[in-house]
Amino acid sequence: MKLKSTLWALAFACAAVSCSDDLDEGPNNGNNGQEMNGTKTFMQVSINTGVVTRATGGEVGDSSSDKGETGKSNEYEVKDVTVVLFKNASGTAAPTTFNYDSKLVAAGYVQTPGTSTGTENWHNRVATVEIDITDASEDFDGKTYGIIAVTNLGSAEKLKNRIKSDDINTGSKLANLLQEKAWSGTSGNETDFIMSTHNDQYGTDTKLFDCVTLHANATSENAPRADVHVERLAAKVRIGAHTNASQFIYSVEGENASDVIAKVRLDEVQLVNKQDRGTYLLKRVSENVTDEITKTIPAQGTNGDNYLANEVWNSATGQTAFNYVIDPWSRNKVKLIAENKSGIESTAGSDITNTTNQITTLSYTNDYTGTNFSSLWTTISNGAITLANNETDFTNSEKKTISYTLENTVSAEDSQAGYMTGALFKATYFPKEYMAVIEEDGQQVVRPIPVDYNGGAEGEGFDNIDKDTDASNINFYVYNGNVYKNHEAIFNEYVWNEQKNMASGVKVYEYSDFNATNVTKIKIKDLMGSTLMQGAANDPFGYLQALKTKYKDQTTSDNNLTADDAFDQIVSATSESEDIKKKLAAITLYEDCICYYPYWIKHADNNKTTDMGVMEFGIVRNNIYDLAVSKITKLGLSGTDVPDPTEPGESKELRFIVDINVKNWVVRSNSDIIL
């Protein structure tokens, strides 16, 4: 797979900017009438959900001038905020990191009605929050605490109450919390995106660290102000048109670039392996690896992973990753269970809402598995995005959201189709010609002939294929890399080649001799003694070998073959022998010219087509993955092909070329896909 990959990043503004929406304090100053233990104070938070690019390395974008995207109003709207304060385990100094042993000392919650408005590059919500100190003996006056903020958890004080009760009191306990859903609503109407603290500033070398200095006498009117920076737990995958194609129709080149052998129309696309079992509330990454091709994820140390940390990149290329983003199942995704994820368990604790709700087992929506691609597509097609017949949605470089999804990462050595989130394209493949039986100089011969796409009243053919061209009544077969109209063409090409040196006047058998009408005219002894049967084992269908086996003891019989010996009777779905089944596996039917192209979404392309790198395939929170197919190189997979969950991410079968660009929200643009 030849891909260009550039990495983009999301970061957040460091201070309040021109757009500020004040949050209401809610009933009883956000306390819902509940008296809390410990000491109370107030603080004001400015919730920053804006973006700014990073100069080099890491989650950088396609160009240093690209500032990424603000997102839609439903994606940055803040309806509530939970604030958690923490100190170092020793409590002797202001914290500068958030670690496994950080002590959680206070929490607050405030709810706001209404929606965000405006088109500014970044948005701020400013809220006054009543803070409950969990330990009444804590002398907080004048002390500085680190801040973790979470938005849109809902009307109930879910997280605040668990911290206040001392159920969650350390950094590791908070970091191990899972959020099952990262947004609310149905497809096309998503709202309430959960966002949590993000502690790295892109664009400068200055690392953000959200903190606040509390005062014992603070009121809602004079509360100390602090900026908090948050990012979405969700990622987004989009599809856009490419300048190399009109109406999502691509030309497939032959050996010469000027030789167009087929056209492919991308009709629909849908995500597969969309992780749906929850994500860590806080982003976490592994320890750094030694190089960009380290195959395994470093083991979690005694003190856990790095919380609120970012990916580490090769500063020279900005493309090569040197650590892993960790989801709750990353380390347990191994080759042995790629086909059955039920055995993959999380090492995390309960979800935020309920201590008894253990999110323990990995699962995906639209698993990349099934009897064949036709059945797989039927299962997932309700969420498919229309492409070729919906071109108005893609004018003026518009992109259409395929789906939001959760973080999904895996080690380089275990990057396989059963785990990786991908886009499955349903397409129509229009071969310019196929091999068929025709009359030539009074003889039946196999020759390449143009495929007739004229069906419409306007007589449109191959040169005029467009979004409305109907191929629903056209089937073709592929054998040894060649395209055939039907079984007759494949069989005749074989038997005529077997009999080409026969003497004049000797019977030459062909496909029509073995149909239901003519097969009963053939004497057993004539067929068994023919040149054709000498090479029966090489018959691509296994048909001749089946006859040879059946009549091996009747080589001198004057009896004729029976109607049960007809080609269609023996080579059929109901009567296939194991030998015939094996032979037929090499002959692929493309019904209605339909084919499928799976594409595995890349996070950090290492530009090595046969060597998977660190974080090469994966979905990471707050990234937009933009897909745009630039070129299709060959025929896709048929409806009868079987999805293989163990297939490695770097496939030797280059069908699809994608340029991967990643920019802010963060946006990762897979914009030059070659199929």
Side-chain angles (χ1 to χ4, degrees):
M1 188 173 286
K2 181 181 180 183
L3 304 134
K4 299 177 182 177
S5 171
T6 317
L7 305 173
W8 291 85
L10 170 51
F12 298 90
C14 318
V17 291
S18 59
C19 174
S20 291
D21 302 314
D22 289 337
L23 292 171
D24 290 349
E25 295 178 11
N28 297 310
N29 293 325
N31 200 19
N32 293 328
Q34 298 181 30
E35 289 300 321
M36 311 296 278
N37 297 326
T39 308
K40 300 178 184 293
T41 188
F42 288 89
M43 66 173 289
Q44 192 178 74
V45 293
S46 174
I47 307 160
N48 294 272
T49 61
V51 298
V52 60
T53 54
R54 188 173 178 175
T56 58
E59 296 176 349
V60 297
D62 295 321
S63 69
S64 60
S65 62
D66 194 329
K67 301 299 181 183
E69 295 184 11
T70 305
K72 302 176 181 178
S73 59
N74 66 302
E75 295 172 338
Y76 61 69
E77 180 182 6
V78 177
K79 293 184 178 180
D80 62 64
V81 60
T82 301
V83 175
V84 179
L85 303 186
F86 65 91
K87 64 181 181 180
N88 295 331
S90 65
T92 57
T96 57
T97 59
F98 177 72
N99 302 314
Y100 77 103
D101 60 352
S102 296
K103 175 65 177 176
L104 310 187
V105 299
Y109 171 86
V110 63
Q111 183 180 6
T112 177
T115 60
S116 301
T117 60
T119 58
E120 295 81 359
N121 284 338
W122 31 79
H123 297 254
N124 291 44
R125 293 277 194 175
V126 179
T128 300
V129 185
E130 187 177 58
I131 299 296
D132 289 277
I133 310 299
T134 59
D135 184 356
S137 65
E138 177 78 14
D139 182 13
F140 62 85
D141 188 34
K143 288 188 177 180
T144 300
Y145 297 94
I147 306 172
I148 290 175
V150 185
T151 74
N152 299 333
L153 285 177
S155 60
E157 299 180 4
K158 302 173 182 177
L159 182 57
K160 172 188 172 180
N161 290 341
R162 290 190 67 183
I163 292 172
K164 181 203 173 275
S165 68
D166 217 33
D167 176 39
I168 301 172
N169 54 19
T170 64
S172 61
K173 288 183 178 181
L174 183 61
N176 283 334
L177 282 180
L178 300 188
Q179 177 62 31
E180 188 167 7
K181 303 294 183 184
W183 64 89
S184 301
T186 57
S187 179
N189 298 289
E190 295 87 354
T191 61
D192 303 344
F193 283 81
I194 307 272
M195 294 175 267
S196 65
T197 289
H198 176 74
N199 267 354
D200 198 11
Q201 180 178 349
Y202 301 103
T204 75
D205 294 329
T206 304
K207 185 176 178 64
L208 294 174
F209 191 81
D210 301 336
C211 57
V212 64
T213 301
L214 296 182
H215 300 296
N217 61 351
T219 66
S220 58
E221 287 76 28
N222 66 0
R225 171 76 170 264
D227 293 324
V228 295
H229 306 81
V230 294
E231 66 180 357
R232 301 166 189 83
L233 273 61
K236 181 165 67 172
V237 183
R238 299 187 303 197
I239 182 71
H242 198 280
T243 55
N244 290 357
S246 176
Q247 300 178 339
F248 289 92
I249 297 173
Y250 300 79
S251 295
V252 180
E253 301 168 353
E255 293 183 2
N256 300 316
S258 60
D259 180 19
V260 177
I261 63 172
K263 293 182 179 180
V264 181
R265 185 182 67 208
L266 297 181
D267 296 315
E268 297 177 280
V269 63
Q270 172 70 308
L271 284 195
V272 291
N273 292 344
K274 187 171 68 172
Q275 205 270 99
D276 64 1
R277 285 293 291 152
T279 190
Y280 284 121
L281 181 63
L282 306 178
K283 185 176 180 179
R284 64 205 290 170
V285 300
S286 73
E287 297 294 332
N288 293 353
V289 299
T290 56
D291 56 55
E292 71 274 18
I293 59 171
T294 298
K295 300 302 182 184
T296 59
I297 301 175
Q300 180 172 300
T302 305
N303 299 335
D305 293 310
N306 296 321
Y307 309 139
L308 302 181
N310 267 294
E311 298 156 78
V312 177
W313 301 84
N314 184 327
S315 59
T317 66
Q319 294 178 316
T320 305
F322 281 95
N323 64 356
Y324 285 92
V325 177
I326 303 298
D327 76 33
W329 297 271
S330 295
R331 292 185 174 93
N332 290 336
K333 298 171 187 173
V334 297
K335 289 185 173 67
L336 294 177
I337 49 180
E339 296 182 83
N340 181 13
K341 291 173 287 293
S342 62
I344 301 178
E345 296 185 349
S346 166
T347 57
S350 64
D351 72 9
I352 294 172
T353 3
N354 186 349
T355 58
T356 63
N357 182 20
Q358 302 289 320
I359 305 173
T360 58
T361 304
L362 174 65
S363 71
Y364 293 130
T365 301
N366 301 344
D367 286 276
Y368 186 73
T369 186
T371 307
N372 52 47
F373 278 100
S374 181
S375 63
L376 170 60
W377 187 265
T378 300
T379 302
I380 69 176
S381 60
N382 288 337
I385 301 298
T386 301
L387 301 175
N389 287 298
N390 201 26
E391 71 274 10
T392 56
D393 281 359
F394 301 95
T395 58
N396 301 317
S397 301
E398 288 293 320
K399 301 177 181 69
K400 192 173 181 64
T401 298
I402 301 174
S403 182
Y404 297 96
T405 185
L406 299 178
E407 245 167 15
N408 185 33
T409 63
V410 65
S411 69
E413 68 176 355
D414 295 313
S415 296
Q416 342 167 53
Y419 297 136
M420 302 178 297
T421 301
L424 181 62
F425 292 82
K426 184 180 182 181
T428 304
Y429 187 91
F430 301 93
K432 186 176 184 178
E433 57 187 24
Y434 46 28
M435 303 296 289
V437 178
I438 64 171
E439 184 86 17
E440 187 176 276
D441 297 328
Q443 293 183 333
Q444 297 288 309
V445 295
V446 178
R447 295 285 188 267
I449 66 169
V451 182
D452 183 12
Y453 299 111
N454 292 332
E458 299 180 358
E460 296 175 344
F462 180 81
D463 292 335
N464 297 311
I465 288 172
D466 63 14
K467 65 184 180 65
D468 297 317
T469 303
D470 185 10
S472 59
N473 295 315
I474 299 174
N475 299 338
F476 63 86
Y477 296 83
V478 175
Y479 177 66
N480 282 345
N482 295 321
V483 179
Y484 296 85
K485 181 178 181 179
N486 46 33
H487 283 174
E488 179 182 5
I490 300 172
F491 188 80
N492 274 348
E493 187 175 64
Y494 163 72
V495 298
W496 289 344
N497 192 54
E498 288 290 301
Q499 302 170 107
K500 63 184 178 181
N501 296 321
M502 290 181 60
S504 177
V506 178
K507 171 65 177 175
V508 176
Y509 292 97
E510 58 186 349
Y511 179 85
S512 60
D513 292 316
F514 299 99
N515 62 31
T517 301
N518 296 327
V519 70
T520 57
K521 301 175 184 178
I522 301 175
K523 285 187 179 297
I524 295 174
K525 68 178 183 180
D526 292 341
L527 179 63
M528 296 298 285
S530 68
T531 300
L532 179 61
M533 296 302 280
Q534 293 176 11
N538 298 319
D539 172 12
F541 297 94
Y543 170 68
L544 296 176
Q545 185 61 46
L547 293 180
K548 190 173 183 177
T549 301
K550 180 178 180 180
Y551 294 110
K552 64 180 180 179
D553 298 324
Q554 302 181 47
T555 57
T556 60
S557 175
D558 284 326
N559 295 329
N560 290 0
L561 299 181
T562 70
D564 290 339
D565 295 326
F567 182 94
D568 288 342
Q569 285 292 100
I570 292 180
V571 184
S572 70
T574 58
S575 62
E576 295 168 10
S577 68
E578 288 304 314
D579 182 63
I580 290 176
K581 290 179 181 178
K582 184 178 180 180
K583 291 290 186 74
L584 287 178
I587 302 172
T588 306
L589 168 64
Y590 286 81
E591 194 170 7
D592 300 329
C593 294
I594 293 172
C595 67
Y596 301 88
Y597 294 94
Y599 172 73
W600 305 113
I601 298 171
K602 291 200 171 187
H603 182 75
D605 190 6
N606 65 358
N607 290 324
K608 299 177 181 178
T609 57
T610 60
D611 195 356
M612 286 175 285
V614 175
M615 289 298 300
E616 183 160 14
F617 296 94
I619 299 291
V620 175
R621 68 183 64 199
N622 214 70
N623 283 253
I624 296 177
Y625 297 83
D626 273 341
L627 310 182
V629 179
S630 65
K631 188 176 183 179
I632 297 177
T633 62
K634 62 176 60 179
L635 176 61
L637 299 164
S638 80
T640 61
D641 282 319
V642 181
D644 180 9
T646 65
E647 179 185 11
E650 294 283 17
S651 175
K652 297 179 181 179
E653 280 291 317
L654 178 62
R655 303 176 186 272
F656 217 76
I657 293 183
V658 185
D659 274 359
I660 301 182
N661 305 302
V662 184
K663 56 185 179 181
N664 316 57
W665 193 81
V666 176
V667 177
R668 296 188 180 269
S669 174
N670 297 233
S671 61
D672 272 338
I673 302 173
I674 295 182
L675 295 174

